[in-house]
């Protein structure tokens, strides 16, 4: 502030002094007499100033000419680079000017002009590591794929520009959908610059898509090391990856490693539902159902979830509904107020044919949280209690248009998944599936339930007296899972779940 004020004052003083000096020069009568050889000039002050300026220009020209002359003399006397050095300096100046113009053109979105300037700069400067950077970006901007590819390949030659070249080629391959080559290039780019955040993210995504879980975990630790990931997020994502690794190993039938990896995942993040389920299954296979109980109970206390209940039911596949109810009552102790617990107990009471208890467990849930599941359960309770068909149908009709309740939904694109997975099947985002409600107005259930309506109504009409026939009504919820159907092995349940793919529902909705 003070400094700029000072500059303004200095400027005003200078202008005033110049004006005053010029006035003096014009008004004064003094003259300058110059004798040169036999000539004699008489100069007025203003003329003297002009002559002085001309003399300065002449001296500058003379020095320049002398420089050229000296270069020529040196050239003649054997120094071959002397004259070219003189001209080179000039070339360099023009080259950098072309480079600057090219950057301007690039910034203003004129790709063609930028390419032309880059070519000129290359001719004058012969500095490919500089001009190729400009050419590559200009070619991308102008949509000249071939030239861009060529330039990226040229950039690979120089150590300083190799990373840019690899990244450029990688982005082109990604745009082409050639993910195998893109993955190889991403690995190269990552090796060159492990701290580069965007490269880490691209590599992680590609590794997840290629189901290279071990590699993805290494990339994840690099992200943690270079500070582009907080420790909490790293812990959760690493658990997700460990789990995916476990799933893959399971597919290959290597159950020991799978179990270990799944248990490891569970240790890192006890509230991660899929990890808990995997770990529990591992323990059951290993003949340690007590550990499976502990793992699932801990996870249920953190977050009640149908997948956990299904895994807990699978520990004792052959028990009677009454035994199962007794086991589950201990399992859910401490979370009785949770709506998931209440619906689970309702299902178990229905399976045990204790309808008054089922009604008590469900309570006012159909009113406070009218989801498709709670309303269908209410219909089943009414049916089992021997209520009018009209009442049962009333509940079912409401269930048809009620929200679906929480599901595995991608945070990124909103796709509904029947099963949890580390990568979204629609948008390929990593670790974005969350257990939550679909957005309001999403009637994803409608098609599914409408298709089953004749079944339900038919069941009601044809088996008025038989209380056993509550079971088919149960099936239409498709939510209760295996725990209320001890007669159905888990494999079959999986099939049921995969046949009504929510993706299709979303598309048709
Ligand atoms: Zn998605």
């Amino acid at each position: 502030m003070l400094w700029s004020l000072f500059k303004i004052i200095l400027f005003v003083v200078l202008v005033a002094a110049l004006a005053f000096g010029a006035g003096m020069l014009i008004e004064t009568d003094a003259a300058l007499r110059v004798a040169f050889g036999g000539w004699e000039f008489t100069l007025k002050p203003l003329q003297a100033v002009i002559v002085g300026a001309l003399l300065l220009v002449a001296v500058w020209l003379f020095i320049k000419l002398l420089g050229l002359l000296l270069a020529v003399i040196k050239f003649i006397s054997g120094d071959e680079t002397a004259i070219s050095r003189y001209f080179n300096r000039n070339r360099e100046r023009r080259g950098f000017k072309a480079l600057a113009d090219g950057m301007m053109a690039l910034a203003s979105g004129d790709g063609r002009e930028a390419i032309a300037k880059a070519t000129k700069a290359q001719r004058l400067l012969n500095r490919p590591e500089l001009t190729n950077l400009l050419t590559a970006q200009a070619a991308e901007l102008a949509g000249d794929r071939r030239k861009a590819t060529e330039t990226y390949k040229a950039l690979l030659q120089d150590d300083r520009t190799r990373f840019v070249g690899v990244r450029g080629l990688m982005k082109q391959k990604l745009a082409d959908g050639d993910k195998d080559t893109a993955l190889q290039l991403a690995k190269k780019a990552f090796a060159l610059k492990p701290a580069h955040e965007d490269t880490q993210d691209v590599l992680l995504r590609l590794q997840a898509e290629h189901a290279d879980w071990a590699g993805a975990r290494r990339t994840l630790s690099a992200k943690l090391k270079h500070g582009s990931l907080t420790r909490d997020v790293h812990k959760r994502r690493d658990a997700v990856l460990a789990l995916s690794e476990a799933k893959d190993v399971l597919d290959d039938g290597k159950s020991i490693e799978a179990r270990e990896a799944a248990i490891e995942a569970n240790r890192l993040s006890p509230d991660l539902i899929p990890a808990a389920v995997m770990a529990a299954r591992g323990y059951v296979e290993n003949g340690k159902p007590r550990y499976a109980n502990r793992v699932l109970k801990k996870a249920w206390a953190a977050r009640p979830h149908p997948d956990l209940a299904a895994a807990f039911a699978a520990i004792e596949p052959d028990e009677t509904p009454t035994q199962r109810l007794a086991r589950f009552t201990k399992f859910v102790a401490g979370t009785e107020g949770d709506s998931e617990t209440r619906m689970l107990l309702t299902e178990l009471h229905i399976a045990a044919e204790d309808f008054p208890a089922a009604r008590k467990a469900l309570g006012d849930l159909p009113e406070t949280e009218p989801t498709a599941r709670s309303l269908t359960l209410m219909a089943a309770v009414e049916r089992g209690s021997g209520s009018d068909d009209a009442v049962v149908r009333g509940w079912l009709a409401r269930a048809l248009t009620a929200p679906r309740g929480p599901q595995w939904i991608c945070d990124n694109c909103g796709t509904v998944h029947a099963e949890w997975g580390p990568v979204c099947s629609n948008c390929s985002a990593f670790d974005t599936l969350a257990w939550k409600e679909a957005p309001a107005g999403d009637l994803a259930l409608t098609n599914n339930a409408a298709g089953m309506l004749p079944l339900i109504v038919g069941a009601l009409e044809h088996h008025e007296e038989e209380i056993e026939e509550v079971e088919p009504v149960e099936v239409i919820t498709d939510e209760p899972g295996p725990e209320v159907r001890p007669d159905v092995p888990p494999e079959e349940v999986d099939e049921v779940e995969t046949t009504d793919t929510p993706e299709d529902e979303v598309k048709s909705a």
Side-chain angles (χ1 to χ4, degrees):
M1 191 64 201
L2 208 66
W3 174 236
S4 44
L5 191 72
F6 176 73
K7 278 197 287 188
I8 291 167
I9 292 171
L10 193 73
F11 178 74
V12 171
V13 168
L14 250 167
V15 169
L18 275 174
F20 180 73
M24 289 280 284
L25 275 174
I26 291 163
E27 281 165 22
T28 186
D29 289 334
L32 189 66
R33 211 173 284 266
V34 179
F36 185 74
W39 302 83
E40 192 180 290
F41 302 94
T42 307
L43 295 173
K44 285 190 174 159
L46 193 61
Q47 286 166 325
V49 169
I50 292 167
V51 167
L54 282 174
L55 264 174
L56 274 177
V57 172
V59 167
W60 180 79
L61 267 175
F62 176 72
I63 290 169
K64 281 272 147 191
L65 276 172
L66 197 69
L68 180 60
L69 196 70
L70 276 172
V72 170
I73 292 166
K74 275 188 181 171
F75 178 69
I76 292 166
S77 65
D79 187 354
E80 288 181 18
T81 55
I83 201 159
S84 55
R85 229 179 10 241
Y86 177 83
F87 284 109
N88 273 354
R89 235 169 292 145
N90 204 12
R91 265 175 90 89
E92 203 171 59
R93 234 188 341 262
R94 285 193 295 143
F96 277 115
K97 189 180 175 300
L99 193 66
D101 289 347
M103 281 172 170
M104 287 293 186
L106 191 69
S108 56
D110 188 350
R112 291 275 151 224
E113 171 77 3
I115 290 180
K117 291 290 179 191
T119 315
K120 188 178 172 193
Q122 166 58 16
R123 189 164 40 78
L124 291 168
L125 287 176
N126 194 26
R127 295 271 296 275
E129 76 280 5
L130 272 183
T131 48
N132 278 342
L133 286 175
L134 180 60
T135 311
Q137 286 185 61
E140 286 279 0
L141 184 66
D144 188 343
R145 279 294 300 268
R146 204 182 48 78
K147 190 165 185 70
T149 311
E150 237 169 53
T151 318
Y152 286 136
K153 281 183 179 160
L155 284 171
L156 295 179
Q157 307 306 317
D158 192 298
D159 277 347
R160 287 167 295 177
T161 57
R162 187 167 299 136
F163 179 72
V164 180
V166 172
R167 260 178 68 78
L169 290 172
M170 178 187 81
K171 287 196 168 162
Q172 285 193 334
K173 292 294 175 195
L174 275 178
D176 292 347
D178 179 359
K179 289 185 173 164
D180 293 329
T181 318
L183 177 63
Q184 296 309 318
L185 288 164
K187 279 181 186 167
K188 252 182 218 162
F190 180 69
L192 288 169
K193 269 196 186 176
H196 193 269
E197 202 176 334
D198 188 48
T199 306
Q200 293 170 348
D201 290 341
V202 172
L203 180 61
L204 195 60
R205 210 181 70 222
L206 288 168
Q207 282 171 325
E209 277 175 37
H210 280 78
D212 174 10
W213 307 121
R217 288 183 80 181
R218 282 197 297 278
T219 312
L220 209 60
S221 349
K223 268 178 89 76
L224 178 69
K225 198 173 121 199
H226 296 290
S228 54
L229 203 65
T230 62
R231 198 159 281 279
D232 284 354
V233 178
H234 171 262
K235 201 169 154 187
R236 187 165 65 91
R237 297 220 164 140
D238 194 51
V240 172
L241 286 171
L243 175 73
S244 312
E245 215 173 344
K247 264 194 165 170
D248 269 12
V249 181
L250 258 190
D251 288 344
D252 296 345
K254 297 173 202 160
S255 64
I256 294 168
E257 289 93 318
R259 189 168 51 241
E260 282 170 357
I263 291 165
E264 166 74 357
N266 191 53
R267 189 182 63 74
L268 288 173
S269 178
D271 60 344
L272 193 73
I273 290 146
V277 171
M278 289 292 294
R281 281 188 192 152
Y283 281 126
V284 171
E285 269 175 43
N286 208 17
K288 288 180 181 167
R290 264 173 12 99
Y291 288 147
N293 277 352
R294 273 171 56 181
V295 162
L296 290 171
K297 195 166 170 15
K298 195 175 176 190
W300 183 275
R303 197 170 172 193
H305 191 279
D307 290 0
L308 296 171
F312 186 69
I315 295 175
E316 297 283 349
D318 301 322
E319 64 192 341
T320 65
T322 321
Q323 284 169 333
R324 180 154 289 182
L325 182 60
R327 206 161 58 87
F328 263 98
T329 309
K330 271 186 248 163
F331 178 65
V332 301
T335 61
E336 284 85 355
D338 190 90
S339 54
E340 192 58 52
T341 304
R342 286 161 70 184
M343 285 191 282
L344 173 67
L345 288 176
T346 309
E347 284 162 6
L348 292 166
H349 282 300
I350 290 172
E353 295 171 21
D354 183 352
F355 296 103
R359 190 188 292 273
K360 190 159 166 270
L362 194 59
D364 59 352
L365 210 58
E367 300 304 329
T368 53
E369 283 179 45
T371 60
R373 190 172 160 207
S374 65
L375 290 168
T376 314
L377 282 173
M378 194 60 198
V381 169
E382 292 286 7
R383 172 81 191 94
S385 312
S387 299
D388 243 22
D389 274 2
V391 177
V392 179
R393 285 199 196 117
W395 286 114
L396 287 174
R398 282 186 63 192
L400 285 184
T401 49
R404 175 81 183 242
Q407 300 166 85
W408 290 116
I409 295 173
C410 174
D411 278 335
N412 197 29
C413 69
T415 302
V416 178
H417 293 69
E419 269 195 341
W420 179 89
V423 179
C424 172
S425 62
N426 180 49
C427 68
S428 301
F430 176 69
D431 188 22
T432 55
L433 293 201
W435 182 253
K436 60 176 191 182
E437 298 265 353
D442 179 9
L443 297 176
L445 184 68
T446 312
N447 290 319
N448 191 21
M452 289 187 176
L453 191 58
L455 270 176
I456 300 163
V457 177
L460 289 169
E461 280 166 356
H462 292 122
H463 307 282
E464 290 278 342
E465 266 69 55
E466 289 174 68
I467 213 142
E468 299 296 313
E469 291 306 312
V470 170
E471 292 297 303
V473 177
E474 199 57 31
V475 176
I476 59 102
T477 66
D478 92 358
E479 288 285 357
E483 68 270 20
V484 292
R485 286 182 287 155
D487 51 325
V488 184
E491 293 83 356
E492 282 181 46
V493 174
D494 285 343
E495 274 170 33
V496 170
E497 279 175 6
T498 44
T499 44
D500 60 80
T501 42
E503 286 90 334
D504 294 342
E505 289 163 23
V506 167
K507 270 177 209 151
S508 55

